[in-house]
């Protein structure tokens, strides 16, 4: 079995999901409070139809909040000897190093301008705008671009750029870049990588005439 590298958490995924789990649990607790107030009404306790919907909504909201809390740690990038693996709760993607043309480090606000978003999206994006991401430029996507954009946030793609690529925002982009270059160099994927020295032959050892 091929040896896997360390897991690099995807900050974009964690950031977006983390904004939702707390409000969902708060909504659930609020629904329970409404249900309890209806139940305390002298007539309400004999009319479950008045408070039971609040209970059901509350249970559903809390379950969704717990689900978001759990899955925020299930998104990461991991390097293997032959490919880069991108994992989210709803998508698992293996990208062969042969597809990778080059990698470029850039700050998020240069990749996706803050002004290109609406007000509420700017609030979500602003804490990420000053961080440095690693842009993986590809020769082609391993799956349909439509499916990728369906399951990945817009923050995984450069603004108005339809060329094959992925924007990976991780806690240590430099380490990810170094590990990726090392693996690609080892497989001869990078131009200018050291070439193996050809074996010496008997003829090559003969003295040359001047």
């Amino acid at each position: 079995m091929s040896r896997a590298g360390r897991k690099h958490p995807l900050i974009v995924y964690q950031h977006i999901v983390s904004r939702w789990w707390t409000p969902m649990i708060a909504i659930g607790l609020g629904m329970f409070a409404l249900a309890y107030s209806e139940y305390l009404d002298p007539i309400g306790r004999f009319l479950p139809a008045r408070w039971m919907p609040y209970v059901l909504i509350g249970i559903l909201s809390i379950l969704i909040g717990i689900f978001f809390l759990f899955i925020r740690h299930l998104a990461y990038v991991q390097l293997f000897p032959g490919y880069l693996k991108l994992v989210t709760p709803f998508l698992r993607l293996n990208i062969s190093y042969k597809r990778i043309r080059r990698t470029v480090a850039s700050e998020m606000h240069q990749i996706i301008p803050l002004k290109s978003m609406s007000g509420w999206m700017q609030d979500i994006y602003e804490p990420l705008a000053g961080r440095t991401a690693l842009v993986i430029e590809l020769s082609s996507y391993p799956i349909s671009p439509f499916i990728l954009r369906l399951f990945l946030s817009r923050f995984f793609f450069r603004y108005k750029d339809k060329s094959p690529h992925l924007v990976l925002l991780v806690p240590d982009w430099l380490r990810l870049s170094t590990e990726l270059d090392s693996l690609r160099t080892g497989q001869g994927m990078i131009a200018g990588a050291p070439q193996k020295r050809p074996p010496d032959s008997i003829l090559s050892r003969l003295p040359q005439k001047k």
Side-chain angles (χ1 to χ4, degrees), residues 85-101:
K85 184 176 184 179
L86 185 146
V87 177
T88 73
F90 308 106
L91 178 69
R92 288 177 177 266
L93 186 66
N94 292 339
I95 301 175
S96 170
Y97 295 142
K98 294 180 180 180
R99 293 181 182 270
I100 299 177
R101 297 174 56 196

Side-chain angles (χ1 to χ4, degrees), residues 28-29 31-32 53-65:
L29 296 176
M31 291 295 104
F32 285 147
Y54 295 123
V55 173
L56 296 177
I57 295 174
I59 293 174
L60 180 61
S61 297
I62 290 177
L63 289 177
I64 293 175

Side-chain angles (χ1 to χ4, degrees), residues 27-89:
I27 290 172
L29 296 176
M31 291 295 104
F32 285 147
L34 287 175
Y36 185 66
S37 65
E38 290 289 343
Y39 180 79
L40 290 180
D41 186 275
I43 301 177
R45 67 184 59 189
F46 300 105
L47 299 173
R50 290 180 55 178
W51 52 267
M52 186 58 70
Y54 295 123
V55 173
L56 296 177
I57 295 174
I59 293 174
L60 180 61
S61 297
I62 290 177
L63 289 177
I64 293 175
I66 294 174
F67 175 71
F68 284 159
L69 177 63
F70 176 72
I71 68 171
R72 65 177 180 159
H73 297 295
L74 298 182
Y76 59 87
V77 172
Q78 190 173 20
L79 301 180
F80 289 81
Y83 59 91
L84 178 151
K85 184 176 184 179
L86 185 146
V87 177
T88 73

Side-chain angles (χ1 to χ4, degrees), residues 4 76 97 123 144 154 184 205:
Y76 59 87
Y97 295 142
D123 293 338
S144 166
R154 63 186 292 184
R184 293 177 64 215
R205 299 176 186 174

Side-chain angles (χ1 to χ4, degrees), residues 160-184:
K160 290 186 176 180
D161 186 352
K162 301 299 183 182
S163 65
H165 69 277
L166 285 172
V167 177
L168 302 180
L169 183 59
V170 297
D172 191 347
W173 69 267
L174 184 57
R175 181 167 181 173
L176 175 61
S177 177
T178 302
E179 291 176 359
L180 181 57
D181 288 346
S182 176
L183 286 170
R184 293 177 64 215

